[in-house]
Amino acid sequence: MLYKHLSDVTEEEMDKLLNRTGELMDVAETVSSILKDVQEKGDDGLREYTKKFDRADIQDIEVTSEEIEEAMELVDAELLRHLKIAAENIRNFHTAQLPQKTWFIEPSPGIKLGQMANPLASVGAYVPGGRASYPSTALMTIIPAKVAGVKSVVMCTPPGPDGKINPLTLVAGKVAGADHIYKVGGVQAIAAMAYGTETVLSVDKIVGPGNVFVTVAKMMVRDKAEIDFPAGPSEVLIIADESADAGMIASDILAQAEHDPKSVSVLVTTSSELAEQTNDEVKKQADAAVRKEIVDSSLENAAIIVTDTMDECIEISNGFAPEHLEIMVNDEDSVLERIENAGSIFVGNYAPVAAGDYASGTNHVLPTAGYPKIYSGLNIHHFLKYSTIQKITKEGLSSIGDTIISLAEKEGLQAHADSVKLRLND
C-alpha cells in the first residue's frame, strides 16, 4: 500500500491512481469473439460458454417458477425479511426520483412547450456471480426499472457448477419484480440480452456491474442495446481530518478491498497522526479478514496520502472521481459543496459505503475508473426517455414566424420557410 506525503508521491504513482481504465481494451478481442459466437449460435452458444466458464451444464436457460419456489423454501425467513426491508427502502428512494410525467410552460401567448417522460419498453439487469453472489444488485437494478414503469425486465446471472442460481439471488430477483430470469452470466449474457436468442429476450438497455469482460461487452453492444455506463472493480476514496476514526476508515478500506483483487481504496487526509493510525489499523484488520487473499491483493492498489490542506484533499478527490466518496471531517458541508466528481457520496462517521450497498435506499450500481466525471450512478432517469412537446396556435406561430422564415431561408431550406408562410397566410 502506498503511504506517503503528497509532496513525495511521484508522477508515476499519481498517474496510476488517477488513470484506471487501461486494461479495458486488453480483453477486446476475446469479448468480440464471444459476442459473435452467441449472436450466431443463440442458445447453443450460451450453453457452450456456460460450460466453459461456469463449469455448468444447463439445458433450461430460463429459471422456472418451480425453481423460484424451491429457492423461496431455502432462504431463511429472517434473511428474506431483511431483503424485503432493503427492497422497500430502494423502492422509496427511486420513487422520490420520478419526474413529473408531463409538464408545460407558456413562454408567450399561443405557445405552450412541454416535456413528457415515458419508460423504456424492456431492460436487462446483469447480476454478477463468480467470487460471491450479489442479491443486492438484483434489487438495485430491477426495482428502479419497475418503479420507472418498464414493462419487461429480464435478469441474467451466472449459475454455479450445479447449474443452479444462488437461492438468495434468485429470491431477490423475484422480490424485485423480474419478469424473466436466465441462468447465464459473463459476456455471453450481455450478448444474449443485446441480440436475443431462442430463449433470452433482447432488450433496449442493459444495466448492472461486472468484471472487465462484462464491461467491455456492454460497451461493444451499444449499437443494439444502450447501457448504463462502464463499471469495473469497486473503489473508495475517503477524505478525512483529525476528527475521523482510524478504525472506521480502515474497516471501510477493507470493505472495498474484499470485493476484488483489483479494487482500489484511497485515504487522503490532512492529519499525519490519523494516517499513521489508519495504516496500522489496515494491517491489523487485514490479518483477520475472511477474504484475506483477495484483500491482500487489493491492498497493493491502496494508498494513504497526507496533504497540507483540505483544498489538496478535495483536488485529489475531484481528479480521482471515485465510485464511492466518504467525507469524514469536522466541516462536512464545506467539503461536500466543493465535490465535483463522485458516483455516490457518504457523509459522516456513521455513513459507511456498506449502507448504500445494501439498505439505505440509494443505488450501488455506480461508474468507476474515473467515469463519474461524465456519468451518473444508476437512477430512475436511466429507465426513462423524454419527448418534447409543442402546442402552438396561429397567434403563437405569428409571434415567431418571421424568425423561423428568416433562419430557414438563410439555411437554404425553403420548404421549411414555406410551411410557416402557408399557415400564416391562410
Side-chain angles (χ1 to χ4, degrees):
M1 177 167 61
L2 177 68
Y3 173 30
K4 287 185 177 181
H5 188 279
L6 179 59
S7 60
D8 296 323
V9 178
T10 67
E11 187 176 328
E12 183 181 0
E13 289 168 335
M14 185 59 74
D15 186 67
K16 181 182 176 183
L17 281 178
L18 298 183
N19 300 300
R20 308 181 300 284
T21 60
E23 67 173 0
L24 289 182
M25 290 304 105
D26 294 344
V27 302
E29 188 175 341
T30 299
V31 170
S32 179
S33 175
I34 298 171
L35 292 175
K36 183 180 179 182
D37 270 359
V38 173
Q39 188 175 17
E40 293 176 352
K41 298 178 182 177
D43 283 355
D44 287 342
L46 295 182
R47 294 187 182 99
E48 175 186 326
Y49 283 109
T50 299
K51 185 172 184 178
K52 179 177 180 179
F53 295 126
D54 301 308
R55 304 182 304 282
D57 278 311
I58 56 169
Q59 292 306 311
D60 296 325
I61 293 171
E62 182 168 3
V63 171
T64 64
S65 57
E66 289 77 19
E67 287 176 292
I68 295 175
E69 289 174 13
E70 180 185 345
M72 293 289 285
E73 296 278 335
L74 293 171
V75 173
D76 178 77
E78 183 67 4
L79 191 55
L80 179 58
R81 185 177 74 85
H82 288 302
L83 193 71
K84 289 181 176 179
I85 290 172
E88 187 63 17
N89 290 345
I90 295 163
R91 189 172 290 110
N92 289 339
F93 178 78
H94 290 85
T95 298
Q97 289 182 331
L98 279 169
Q100 191 174 344
K101 165 71 174 174
T102 308
W103 56 262
F104 285 96
I105 61 170
E106 190 169 2
S108 60
I111 298 179
K112 289 185 177 181
L113 306 178
Q115 179 175 278
M116 181 170 61
N118 283 301
L120 300 176
S122 58
V123 166
Y126 184 76
V127 179
R131 290 186 177 87
S133 61
Y134 296 100
S136 57
T137 300
L139 302 182
M140 296 286 180
T141 51
I142 297 167
I143 290 174
K146 281 300 180 182
V147 168
V150 178
K151 291 180 180 177
S152 176
V153 181
V154 308
M155 172 178 128
C156 282
T157 191
D162 61 356
K164 295 183 178 181
I165 294 172
N166 177 281
L168 188 57
T169 301
L170 195 50
V171 169
K174 176 66 175 178
V175 168
D179 297 290
H180 300 275
I181 301 175
Y182 303 111
K183 310 172 196 175
V184 59
V187 174
Q188 58 271 27
I190 304 303
M193 290 188 284
Y195 306 127
T197 71
E198 298 91 329
T199 300
V200 181
L201 300 173
S202 62
V203 298
D204 297 322
K205 188 168 189 172
I206 300 170
V207 302
N211 61 20
V212 64
F213 292 92
V214 168
T215 297
V216 172
K218 286 169 64 180
M219 294 168 76
M220 284 186 169
V221 300
R222 293 187 69 180
D223 60 329
K224 292 294 182 182
E226 185 53 279
I227 66 168
D228 43 9
F229 41 74
S234 191
E235 56 192 32
V236 65
L237 185 141
I238 302 165
I239 297 176
D241 62 14
E242 68 283 350
S243 68
D245 182 278
M248 291 180 180
I249 294 172
S251 70
D252 292 345
I253 288 174
L254 262 69
Q256 292 307 303
E258 73 174 352
H259 270 293
D260 188 282
K262 296 183 183 295
S263 293
V264 180
S265 306
V266 178
L267 166 65
V268 286
T269 178
T270 52
S271 170
S272 297
E273 183 178 356
L274 179 69
E276 184 65 39
Q277 291 172 351
T278 301
N279 190 47
D280 292 341
E281 276 288 333
V282 167
K283 293 175 183 176
K284 177 182 173 183
Q285 293 184 28
D287 285 339
V290 174
R291 294 160 67 89
K292 190 175 188 316
E293 186 177 344
I294 294 174
V295 166
D296 287 345
S297 294
S298 177
L299 288 178
E300 293 179 12
N301 309 316
I304 295 176
I305 299 174
V306 181
T307 68
D308 292 326
T309 67
M310 187 53 64
D311 288 345
E312 290 175 326
C313 291
I314 295 168
E315 184 180 356
I316 292 171
S317 178
N318 283 331
F320 187 93
E323 174 191 18
H324 306 102
L325 170 62
E326 292 188 0
I327 300 173
M328 302 169 76
V329 300
N330 269 316
D331 195 354
E332 300 165 348
D333 290 341
S334 69
V335 173
L336 179 61
E337 67 185 13
R338 295 167 61 193
I339 298 303
E340 298 171 359
N341 307 311
S344 190
I345 305 171
F346 302 77
V347 182
N349 290 332
Y350 294 91
V353 168
D357 280 348
Y358 294 105
S360 66
T362 60
N363 209 292
H364 79 202
V365 180
L366 304 164
T368 66
Y371 281 111
K373 290 179 180 178
I374 55 175
Y375 291 104
S376 303
L378 198 65
N379 61 73
I380 208 73
H381 301 285
H382 281 95
F383 304 102
L384 297 170
K385 57 186 187 294
Y386 297 89
S387 303
T388 53
I389 309 167
Q390 297 103 109
K391 290 184 176 182
I392 304 176
T393 65
K394 187 171 184 179
E395 177 191 10
L397 185 61
S398 295
S399 69
I400 59 174
D402 289 344
T403 299
I404 299 169
I405 292 167
S406 176
L407 292 174
E409 289 181 341
K410 185 65 177 177
E411 290 187 353
L413 300 176
Q414 190 59 47
H416 282 63
D418 291 345
S419 71
V420 174
K421 289 179 180 179
L422 181 147
R423 287 171 166 79
L424 296 182
N425 293 331
D426 181 20

